[in-house]
Each structure stands twice: as C-alpha cells, then as structure tokens.
Amino acid sequence: MADKIRVLVSEEEVDKRIKEVGEQISKDYEGQEVHVICVLKGGVFFMCELAKRITVPLSMDFMSVSSYGNEKQSSGVVKIVKDLDEALEGKNVIIVEDIIDSGRTLSYLVEILKKRNPKSLKICTLLDKPERRVTDVKVDYVGFNIPDEFVVGYGLDYAQKYRNLPFIGVVEE
Ligand code: IMP
Ligand code: MG
C-alpha cells in the first residue's frame, strides 16, 4: 500500500524560494564565475532548478557520498562513491546539498574539498534541520529551515522512493 504523505513545503513555495536563492547567488558572485557541485542523488532536483536561476557563468560537477543506508538515521560513516570529474583549483565552488541534518556528510566533504585549493568554498542547501546538528559547519545559503521530521520529495528519498515528488513532504507512519 502507498504511504501517506503530508505536504510540508508546497511546490509553489519551493519554486519561489529557489528563485530567490538563485538571485542572491547571482548578486554575490557578480563579475565572477561559479562552479556548482551537486551532491548526488538528493541534490539533483535542487541543483537543476537553482542553476537555471543563476545568471553568472556557471559550470557543474557531480559527486556521490554515502552516509545513509535505507534507515532514517545517520550511520556516521561517510564514503565517496563517485568523485568529481574536474579539479577545483582556483574556482568559486558552491556545494549544493538537499538537506543538512547532523552535518556529518558536509563536514567531511568540506574537509576533503578544501584540500583541492578552490578560490572559495560555499555551501547551499535546500533544507536545514538546525536542531539536529552535531558538527560545526557554516551554511551560506539555506532554502528552508525545517523541524526535526523525516522529509521526502524534491530529490529526498525514503528507501530510494519519493525523490520525484515536486514538493517536500513528510511520510506519515
Ligand atoms: P547528515 O550527514 O546527517 O547531515 O545527513 C545528510 C544526508 O542524510 C542528506 O544529504 C540526506 O541524504 C540524508 N537525510 C537527512 N535527513 C533526511 C530526511 O529528512 N529525509 C531524507 N534524507 C535525509
Ligand atoms: Mg544528500
């Protein structure tokens, strides 16, 4: 039987907010180029919509790390499943994430990407659950702060399902 999903952030709200974040980034990087890194798979919908709203010259790369299995809880173990294709040397890098929960995944990513000498490194996330943070990680752009609930949609999955929902929802138990 299909799970029941309650809408937390509607499609209209998500679209509107992504447009705003894109405008902010375009303003902040005026006269420069940005290199956006999508953290697969969750970041892919956000990355595509966001990139369309950024007006400065932009390049993209993709990376896949895993810290979650099919469980709703972080394992604390992070590994690179797919590394970037391009070097980061001298680039204005923006990491694009679906959600920051404990912050473990991102802390690890920032650590390894900084060693590749980007000109600058910023973090952009569609969703943030600040209550859940266990690491000290600075987030530069946040779409929405959300309460401590497990969400799906707009790239986020529960056991690989629901990534394709055009809104952010909560799976009702
Ligand atoms: P963190 O390392 O605890 O910050 O977890 C980050 C990753 O966990 C995200 O990129 C997601 O893949 C996954 N995650 C955390 N919270 C949720 C959620 O509410 N729904 C779906 N995936 C989540
Ligand atoms: Mg993710």
Side-chain angles (χ1 to χ4, degrees):
M1 208 185 81
D3 301 295
K4 229 182 129 195
I5 296 173
R6 167 168 54 87
V7 177
L8 184 68
V9 188
S10 73
E11 184 173 0
E12 290 73 25
E13 289 173 297
V14 177
D15 290 347
K16 183 168 165 276
R17 183 67 189 129
I18 293 178
K19 201 169 165 223
E20 289 169 0
V21 175
E23 281 165 5
Q24 185 63 53
I25 291 174
S26 306
K27 225 166 101 191
D28 293 351
Y29 288 88
E30 213 184 309
Q32 304 183 72
E33 297 186 9
V34 292
H35 185 64
V36 286
I37 293 177
C38 172
V39 184
L40 296 169
K41 303 170 188 158
V44 76
F45 288 78
F46 178 39
M47 157 90 142
C48 293
E49 291 307 309
L50 181 67
K52 288 194 281 183
R53 305 299 183 180
I54 295 176
T55 52
V56 297
L58 176 148
S59 52
M60 299 179 185
D61 206 346
F62 299 84
M63 183 167 198
S64 182
V65 297
S66 87
S67 68
Y68 275 72
N70 285 344
E71 302 300 319
K72 284 185 176 182
Q73 265 215 1
S74 175
S75 62
V77 181
V78 181
K79 70 167 195 249
I80 295 183
V81 180
K82 183 220 170 288
D83 205 343
L84 297 168
D85 292 335
E86 289 161 57
L88 300 183
E89 182 93 43
K91 293 179 180 158
N92 290 314
V93 174
I94 304 175
I95 302 175
V96 178
E97 261 281 23
D98 49 359
I99 190 165
I100 305 175
D101 186 26
S102 70
R104 283 192 190 100
T105 311
L106 209 57
S107 294
Y108 173 81
L109 256 186
V110 166
E111 211 49 50
I112 56 163
L113 297 186
K114 265 189 182 162
K115 291 188 186 129
R116 301 183 186 184
N117 296 320
K119 183 179 172 199
S120 63
L121 182 64
K122 283 195 183 181
I123 294 163
C124 177
T125 186
L126 178 59
L127 305 171
D128 191 3
K129 290 184 194 170
E131 285 170 54
R132 300 260 305 167
R133 202 63 38 80
V134 300
T135 61
D136 188 19
V137 55
K138 185 176 158 280
V139 189
D140 302 279
Y141 304 100
V142 177
F144 300 93
N145 280 313
I146 59 164
D148 181 12
E149 287 189 285
F150 194 86
V151 292
V152 295
Y154 228 91
L156 291 144
D157 73 302
Y158 175 42
Q160 297 303 324
K161 284 195 297 183
Y162 306 121
R163 291 191 196 277
N164 59 315
L165 296 179
F167 56 89
I168 312 289
V170 177
V171 183
E172 305 274 22
E173 298 290 345

